[in-house]
Amino acid sequence: MSIKNGLPEQMKLAATLSAELNPSAPVIMAGDPAGRIALASELGYDAIELHWANPAQIPLAEIGSECRKNGLEISAFATGRAYVQEGLSLIHEDDENRAAAVKRLKDFVDAAAPYQATVIIGCIRGNLSTEDDGRRSLERLASSTLTVAEYAREKNVGIVFEAINRFENNYLNTAQETAAFIRENDLPNTRILLDTFHMNIEDADLSKAILDCGDLLGYIHIADSNRRFAGAGHIDLKEIFNSLKAVDYKGFISAECLPLPDSETALSGWIQGVKNAFR
Ligand code: LER
Ligand code: MN
């Protein structure tokens, strides 16, 4: 295994970026893309993960050019803000809303294609209504996600589908349930995103969850138990890294954590926490 900056070279580190910082949203940096991207590069990050509700609002030409200048990639486009801010949901009972959610994800795929970036399906899968027994919603989810995944395959863009804790999405919470959904529906170009913050709430055995996903694992979000930077809580990150090594994980590991106590401290603390866990 070749090691670069204290980590396996095959594991690349991404810093999350959005337009504005919000102490309750798990995005580590925001604002002036040029300054933020230069700082992330200086600290040892390899990539940037973008968090916007709509790709049309992203200053993508500037971000792309600053990334190139600093030798960084765009790892992924997170899409959950389209649900949180605009209510677009892949399982919505209203056909128009659901079609708009699918269209938004296709727009994200188009934005991701030139950068060979991945598109994340997380909170945009929406929440089950209280009257729903789940079956019809899961059928809608499978159909909407299949449409997006087939479109992504044509554009050669990878999709990662995230297991999210029950307080944000009220179904498909564990790694096992989420992996089963992807496998059973044979979704093309689609792998699972595991987020250690959600796993700490939902998965009884974090290591086993990673090992069971195996090569279905396509992307990792690392935040600690309190959703602060790696090392700021009580998750056993050494165990996480040992499991990632065991499945020969070769993807991005992203700092999707709260910008606390401030963005700069979280950015440098996260890198240090990840390196300590790997040692
Ligand atoms: C999205 O990656 C995620 O983890 C959500 O919890 C964002 O709030
Ligand atoms: Mn996440």
Side-chain angles (χ1 to χ4, degrees), residues 26 49 51 120 122 162-164 168 193-198 219-222 227 256:
E49 175 185 308
H51 284 239
I120 298 172
E162 183 166 11
I164 293 188
E168 292 177 66
L193 191 172
L194 293 181
D195 179 323
T196 54
F197 173 72
H198 302 309
Y219 204 92
I220 306 279
H221 281 156
I222 288 198
R227 219 166 198 184
E256 196 200 48

Side-chain angles (χ1 to χ4, degrees), residues 113-180:
Y115 300 97
Q116 293 173 305
T118 294
V119 171
I120 298 172
I121 298 184
C123 291
I124 196 166
R125 56 197 174 78
N127 276 288
L128 304 178
S129 66
T130 40
E131 308 85 67
D132 193 335
D133 63 2
R135 189 184 53 81
R136 296 227 317 283
S137 288
L138 274 172
E139 284 169 7
R140 288 197 285 265
L141 181 71
S143 154
S144 306
T145 311
L146 185 61
T147 307
V148 174
E150 283 175 342
Y151 185 78
R153 177 173 54 188
E154 279 168 34
K155 305 272 171 165
N156 212 14
V157 167
I159 299 285
V160 286
F161 192 99
E162 183 166 11
I164 293 188
N165 82 73
R166 69 192 68 189
F167 305 108
E168 292 177 66
N169 286 104
N170 60 5
Y171 69 110
L172 297 186
N173 307 120
T174 65
Q176 194 181 24
E177 289 165 335
T178 310

Side-chain angles (χ1 to χ4, degrees), residues 27-102:
V27 173
I28 202 165
M29 59 181 194
D32 162 41
R36 297 292 95 187
I37 290 166
L39 176 64
S41 166
E42 210 175 287
L43 291 171
Y45 288 89
D46 305 292
I48 301 294
E49 175 185 308
L50 304 176
H51 284 239
W52 264 263
N54 188 332
Q57 296 159 349
I58 308 177
L60 201 47
E62 183 189 0
I63 290 173
S65 121
E66 292 301 325
C67 279
R68 263 190 305 278
K69 209 189 290 173
N70 288 279
L72 263 58
E73 293 175 61
I74 297 177
S75 59
F77 288 71
T79 61
R81 287 176 180 215
Y83 175 66
V84 176
Q85 296 174 4
E86 298 179 38
L88 300 185
S89 158
L90 290 177
I91 61 167
H92 209 288
E93 286 160 20
D94 175 53
D95 293 347
E96 264 181 43
N97 179 298
R98 218 164 57 248
V102 167

Side-chain angles (χ1 to χ4, degrees), residues 6-29:
L7 286 166
E9 196 166 16
Q10 65 196 31
M11 296 189 196
K12 291 186 278 187
L13 307 183
T16 46
L17 175 73
S18 65
E20 281 153 24
L21 223 47
N22 173 346
S24 63
V27 173
I28 202 165
M29 59 181 194

